[in-house]
Amino acid sequence: DCPWQLYTFSFFHLLFGVVCYTINFCPLAFPNSPKCTESELVMQRYVALTSLYTGVLFTTLTYHSKTDVSKATRLASFSLVGSATFLTSVIFCGNASFGGFERSWMHIGDMIGAMALFVILGSRVDSSTEWAEKKELGRLGLNCKSLLLLFLPITAVKFLAMTDFISPTKILADGVEMTELARWMFNYVAVLVLNIIFGLLYSVLYDDDKGHELVVIAIAFMTVVSPLSFQSLNGMMGSWTSMHILLIRAAIILCVCISAIVGGRRGVKRAGYEGI
C-alpha cells in the first residue's frame, strides 16, 4: 500500500521550493510587486529553502515508513496538520482583488490545491485503523536520536523567536527596506518551520533507529544546501546572516551530524542500522 498521500504532501513542498529557487515569483504572483525588492528576494529564498527542507524531511520519513501502515497513518496525521497550516497561510495571503497580496486566479488555485491536499491526507487518516504506538526513549548518548532530541527544542525556540522576538529586518543588510509582502513571506517561513517541528516530533516519538539516522542524513544534506542558497544574495544579508556566518554554522551542524551517525553505529548493535 503505497502512501501516495504522503508523497503528494512531500512533492508539493519540493516543487514549491524548486519553483521559488528558479523563478522570480513576485511579478507572477503578486500584482502589487511588479519587481521584487531586495527584501522580497531574500525572503523568497528563505521560503524556497525552508519549503525544500520540509519536502526532503517528509520524503525521508515517508520512504522509511512506507511498508508500515501504522507508522504511515501516524505520519499522515502530522502531515494533515501541516496541510492545515498551509491552507491557513493561503487564506492570510489574501486575494489581491480584495486587498490581499496574491493574484485572483492564483489565489483561487492555491485555495483549491490546499483544500484538496487537506482532504487527501484526511482521507488517509480517516480510512486507517492502525496507529503506531510511541517508542520507548531508549538509549541516549552520542547517537542520532539524541541529536534529534536536541534539534527539536532548538527548532521550537527558533519558531517562537521568529513569531515574537526577532524582527525580520535583522536578516537584511542595513538600508534594505522591509516591505509588507516580505513580512508575509517571513511569517510563512515560520509556518514551514512549524511543519519541520512536526516532522522531527514524529521521528522522535514513533520512528526507529534507522529512521533517526536517515533524518539526520537529510538534515546534513540540507545543511550543505543552506549556505549555497544565499551565495548570490550575500550583499543583501545582515551581519548575522552573512555568508561566513552561514558557512561556520553549516560546518558545525555537519560535524555534529556526522558524529551522531558514527557514534550511533559504534554503539550497542541494534536492529535498524544495517542496510542504510
Side-chain angles (χ1 to χ4, degrees), residues 15 64 87 94 106 151 165 169 180 195 246 273:
L15 180 62
H64 181 59
L87 176 58
M106 186 170 285
F151 280 162
F165 301 108
T169 57
E180 288 302 313
N195 286 340
L246 293 177
Y273 277 108

Side-chain angles (χ1 to χ4, degrees), residues 111-131:
M111 285 294 298
I112 293 173
M115 288 188 293
L117 187 62
F118 183 82
V119 170
I120 286 171
L121 289 165
S123 67
R124 172 78 195 199
V125 174
D126 183 63
S127 63
S128 180
T129 58
E130 297 182 52
W131 292 78

Side-chain angles (χ1 to χ4, degrees), residues 17 28 157 186:
L28 176 64
V157 169
F186 181 79

Side-chain angles (χ1 to χ4, degrees), residues 1 26-27 30 63 82 85-86 89 153 156 165 167 169 180 186 209 219 242 255 268:
D1 181 23
C26 298
F30 310 112
Y63 174 78
T85 65
F86 171 67
S89 298
F165 301 108
S167 170
T169 57
E180 288 302 313
F186 181 79
D209 294 328
I219 292 173
S242 60
C255 288
V268 178

Side-chain angles (χ1 to χ4, degrees), residues 115-172:
M115 288 188 293
L117 187 62
F118 183 82
V119 170
I120 286 171
L121 289 165
S123 67
R124 172 78 195 199
V125 174
D126 183 63
S127 63
S128 180
T129 58
E130 297 182 52
W131 292 78
E133 299 295 330
K134 291 181 182 178
K135 300 282 188 180
E136 295 292 334
L137 191 60
R139 184 180 67 89
L140 299 179
L142 186 58
N143 56 41
C144 293
K145 184 169 188 174
S146 299
L147 182 58
L148 295 179
L149 282 170
L150 175 64
F151 280 162
L152 184 57
I154 290 176
T155 309
V157 169
K158 179 180 179 180
F159 169 72
L160 292 173
M162 291 181 68
T163 55
D164 280 310
F165 301 108
I166 295 179
S167 170
T169 57
K170 298 293 184 183
I171 298 174
L172 305 173

Side-chain angles (χ1 to χ4, degrees), residues 32 92-102:
N32 296 326
F92 278 99
C93 180
N95 190 318
S97 299
F98 305 104
F101 292 118
E102 198 171 21

